[in-house]
Amino acid sequence: MTDNEYSKKHIEAQLKELPRQPGVYLMKDETGMIIYVGKAKSLRSRVRSYFRKNDQTYKTRMLVKYIDDFDYIMTDTEVEAYILEANLIKKHQPKFNIRLKDDKTYPFIKVTKNVDFPRVFKTRIVKNDGAEYFGPFADVDAIYKTLDVIKDIFKLRSCKKELKADQPEERPCLNFHIDKCLGPCIGAVGKEDYHELIDQVCLFLSGRQKELKQQVEEKMKEAAAERNFEKAARFRDALQAFEKLSESQKVMTDKNIDQDVVALVQSEEDTACAQMLLVRNGRLIGQEYFILQGTEEESKAETMASFLQQYYEQAAGIPDELLLNTEINYQDLLAERLADIKGKKVSIQYPQKGDKKKMLQMAERNAEQNLKKEDIRSKYEEKRTSGAVEKLGEILGMKNDPYHIEGFDISNIQGTDSVASMVVFKNGRPSKQDYRRFKIKTVEGPDDFSSMKEVVERRYARLLREDKKLPDLILIDGGKGQLSAAYEILELLGIEDLPIIGLAKREEEIFKPGESKPITLPHHTPTLQLLQRVRDEAHRFAVSYHRKLRSRRLTHSMLDEIPGVGETRRNALLQHFGSLAKIREAKIWQLKEVDGISGKTARKIYDYLRDNMRAY
């Protein structure tokens, strides 16, 4: 039975066992890479629909062509599936999903309110750690400008020290002496006064300047009445700064309401722009825009719904009203999820006239302009990479320019869980659907040369056997040793004329087979940068796969050691929580919610992981 026949039989068997519960399904290609994530009210009917010979879009037909396997996660409700789908799309960035461009993690402003003297700073990681987060922001410059204003007005600390209210230091830093910091490190400002300022910062970041101004005015009068003129002067200066800031913010409505105005504009290609205007307390305080990819053949309703789903699962704040320029799919699910996060109902509207319609039109104009900018940038990048490809062919003396490059790397730690990666770049850009991952099968111990031989032989022997097109160029991560090992296999396969090079990390030298002297290029040249991108992407892909296998091995090993936890319970735990780290964080009552886990077993799991986790 061929691999393809086996895959079809396997899928057919899985389809018969699909449950009728809601959940999320994950479509995978032959390498195990997740290429599509979807949600379903009924997993059985939704997943089966992909394999019926009915009227499907071109995109769906292409997806089904690549499906080699699928997995699914059952949930209790459709809303839970909706949340999980957004998180999995963000994590895996599947090729066939609508997705935020480049897998960016957008920055937030973090306020560490859970310490004696909180800090306010930029971060791209949001945790459930007691801090407050504001964002996300598409424009990093806007964050830095906001932080500068906060520092000027409130004179908060910028150091990363862990300060305790009852443990003042002897000397302050320079910022205190130049009146840029209130000096909490030496006790020059008390914990309560400092937290008052932090509360004002949070109002400021929420866009509630009117509320904040009232508070600051009251504090100024109180300080003056207490004859604390230095403190009163600080509040006076803050009020003046707020006045200037308010003048620069456009009043959008006379209602003290928070709104997100979202306009979606699609290009003729496979991209779209979601433009957001952020209205807080009736004032326009900023804008963000997001480029979406994979939107070809998708309706505006589907594209908008997918964007809002991904955006609000990572957003730190939810508005009172959501104004959209196109109706969306799954509106009830979105409304339920937003209400759950905010704690009260969120209004979703499609204005057709009046001031709200004018705001949407302004957002649309900005979206159109941002799409034009993206198109110009993409064309410039395409021209730049195309030029680099042609120049590379010239430097290497190739007959044909290397439009199709395959890059290899090996990853292991002391010989365990050895893996290899192969990445593909076409016309200077990653072609992720063509990436491949390999478990090393014939090599024991940390032998990168032999591992490289194995993976190169497996890759190109298969291409020759299936009579498929060979790449224009092979790039090996490493110097002469790794290159010689790979070239030896090409000779055995009779394709020694296939261009192959090695790129050594230390000096970024390019090696060719049979030539002792390397080729060196200036570091700023697009040609070398192209090779570095291929090499670095192969390294990233190999390391991520190695970590995944190692984590899986350690997870299974640790769970198998717990008395009373066999394969069935281990799989149930992993399916319920997703990872060993989440299982370890779970409380006993949460462990008891897993099928097959009694109260007694939950206690054993809880105690064992806390007593033994440090060893891992």
Side-chain angles (χ1 to χ4, degrees), residues 132-379:
E132 282 202 34
Y133 295 86
F134 299 86
F137 296 86
D139 185 354
V140 180
D141 287 339
I143 282 194
Y144 288 121
K145 286 174 183 175
T146 303
L147 291 175
D148 287 342
V149 170
I150 289 170
K151 288 174 185 176
D152 287 342
I153 294 173
F154 299 102
K155 299 180 181 177
L156 302 178
R157 72 186 184 102
S158 56
C159 63
K160 297 180 182 178
K161 293 179 182 178
E162 185 179 343
L163 303 181
K164 299 289 185 182
D166 57 351
Q167 298 174 17
E169 299 183 358
E170 292 183 8
R171 290 185 296 178
C173 68
L174 178 62
N175 280 346
F176 175 75
H177 291 295
I178 61 175
D179 199 29
K180 292 286 186 182
C181 176
L182 296 176
C185 59
I186 58 170
V189 60
K191 176 180 174 181
E192 290 184 4
D193 286 343
Y194 200 87
H195 271 269
E196 277 186 12
L197 293 173
I198 290 297
D199 290 339
Q200 292 166 12
V201 168
C202 291
L203 281 175
F204 176 88
L205 291 171
S206 301
R208 303 188 180 279
Q209 270 84 28
K210 188 176 179 181
E211 241 179 279
L212 178 55
K213 281 165 66 179
Q214 290 173 349
Q215 282 194 18
V216 173
E217 282 176 356
E218 289 172 9
K219 297 290 183 186
M220 181 180 69
K221 290 173 183 176
E222 286 175 13
E226 294 168 2
R227 303 183 69 78
N228 189 342
F229 299 117
E230 184 179 346
K231 188 175 182 180
R234 280 207 308 269
F235 288 130
R236 180 203 62 209
D237 294 342
L239 280 172
Q240 291 173 354
F242 295 147
E243 288 294 343
K244 288 182 180 178
L245 191 69
S246 296
E247 288 170 6
S248 66
Q249 291 178 340
K250 185 174 181 179
V251 178
M252 304 303 291
T253 174
D254 56 359
K255 296 178 182 178
N256 295 331
I257 196 167
D258 291 352
Q259 298 167 317
D260 282 356
V261 184
V262 189
L264 180 77
V265 174
Q266 288 181 296
S267 72
E268 295 178 358
E269 305 300 327
D270 68 340
T271 58
C273 178
Q275 177 75 43
M276 302 188 74
L277 301 181
L278 308 177
V279 179
R280 299 295 179 264
N281 207 29
R283 290 179 177 271
L284 177 62
I285 66 166
Q287 64 90 30
E288 301 168 2
Y289 74 89
F290 301 83
I291 300 298
L292 309 173
Q293 290 184 325
T295 63
E296 71 275 20
E297 293 194 26
E298 299 291 354
S299 66
K300 285 185 73 175
E302 176 65 32
T303 302
M304 176 70 95
S306 184
F307 164 70
L308 295 173
Q309 177 192 21
Q310 294 181 59
Y311 177 82
Y312 285 112
E313 285 304 318
Q314 65 170 338
I318 306 296
D320 303 313
E321 292 183 354
L322 198 54
L323 310 183
L324 309 178
N325 74 331
T326 181
E327 294 191 15
I328 60 171
N329 296 340
Y330 320 116
Q331 179 177 321
D332 292 343
L333 280 176
L334 176 64
E336 188 176 343
R337 178 56 180 158
L338 293 180
D340 185 49
I341 299 171
K342 188 175 179 66
K344 66 176 185 179
K345 186 178 178 181
V346 176
S347 174
I348 300 176
Q349 303 176 19
Y350 309 98
Q352 300 300 314
K353 60 183 179 180
D355 291 337
K356 291 180 179 180
K357 178 63 174 177
K358 289 178 182 176
M359 284 194 282
L360 277 172
Q361 288 171 337
M362 180 166 61
E364 285 175 348
R365 290 195 297 272
N366 279 278
E368 288 166 359
Q369 191 62 31
N370 287 323
L371 266 183
K372 287 178 183 176
K373 286 193 294 186
E374 178 65 18
D375 184 50
I376 292 169
R377 190 204 64 76
S378 296
K379 286 179 179 176

Side-chain angles (χ1 to χ4, degrees), residues 15 18-27 36-52 54-57 59-60 63-64 67 70-72 78 81 85 96-97 298 302 329-330:
L15 291 174
L18 281 166
R20 289 185 170 85
Q21 284 183 245
V24 171
Y25 53 93
L26 303 93
M27 302 301 194
Y36 186 77
V37 174
K39 62 183 172 299
K41 195 171 185 178
S42 166
L43 285 166
R44 187 178 184 85
S45 59
R46 184 73 186 98
V47 176
R48 282 182 164 194
S49 70
Y50 284 91
F51 301 95
R52 296 190 190 117
N54 52 13
D55 292 333
Q56 295 177 324
T57 66
K59 185 175 179 179
T60 302
L63 167 62
V64 174
I67 295 172
F70 69 84
D71 200 355
Y72 58 88
E78 198 177 354
E85 180 194 30
F96 286 92
N97 281 98
E298 299 291 354
E302 176 65 32
N329 296 340
Y330 320 116

